[in-house]
Amino acid sequence: VIDNFNRMKEEMGENVLLTDAQKEWVRAQEIMLHVKPQKRVVPPSGNTAHAVYTLVHTSEFESFIMVCIMLNTLIMSISFFGMTTEYAKFLESANTLFAFIFNVEMILKLIALRMAYFTDTWNRFDCAIVVG
């Protein structure tokens, strides 16, 4: 009997004595062990803060920031030794503009999300980059 059970266990896996429904339940429980629930951010009640909350959660806002990140990366990568003064001033002005945009993004998200801003790892990273 034991040898037969061990052979069945090798062929069918660890859950030999479970029905298909029970095996599905075990799989669901294993998945749930790895899922971390996220805290729901409650939109602010003030008119201005609620408008800012709505703004920062639009796909257009996220797309604008993503384009700014890509353009800023491009601007930072096109400097070279021996560039003209005008070119250097252009790059510096562009970097200043992007720094301003990223500061405004952080401030808007802080207004919209309050302390929940710091629960998102990307926001903490952005804050460290902007402030630093």
Side-chain angles (χ1 to χ4, degrees), residues 41 43 51-62 109 112-113:
V41 177
V52 172
Y53 178 88
T54 304
L55 171 70
V56 299
H57 283 88
T58 61
S59 60
E60 292 84 3
F61 183 81
E62 292 295 325
K109 285 188 174 183
L113 303 173

Side-chain angles (χ1 to χ4, degrees), residues 15-26:
N15 301 324
V16 173
L17 301 176
L18 299 179
T19 66
D20 288 340
Q22 290 171 327
K23 289 177 185 178
E24 184 62 34
W25 183 85
V26 168

Side-chain angles (χ1 to χ4, degrees), residues 86-100:
E86 294 82 23
Y87 187 71
K89 285 182 182 179
F90 164 74
L91 293 180
E92 185 177 339
S93 297
N95 277 325
T96 302
L97 173 65
F98 287 122
F100 175 77

Side-chain angles (χ1 to χ4, degrees), residues 71-72 74-80 83-102:
L71 288 174
N72 190 31
L74 177 68
I75 292 293
M76 289 188 302
S77 69
I78 60 175
S79 64
F80 58 91
M83 59 188 165
T84 64
T85 306
E86 294 82 23
Y87 187 71
K89 285 182 182 179
F90 164 74
L91 293 180
E92 185 177 339
S93 297
N95 277 325
T96 302
L97 173 65
F98 287 122
F100 175 77
I101 290 171
F102 298 140

Side-chain angles (χ1 to χ4, degrees), residues 32-44:
M32 293 301 292
L33 287 173
H34 300 290
V35 174
K36 293 183 180 179
Q38 295 180 343
K39 283 188 173 183
R40 183 174 172 265
V41 177
V42 179

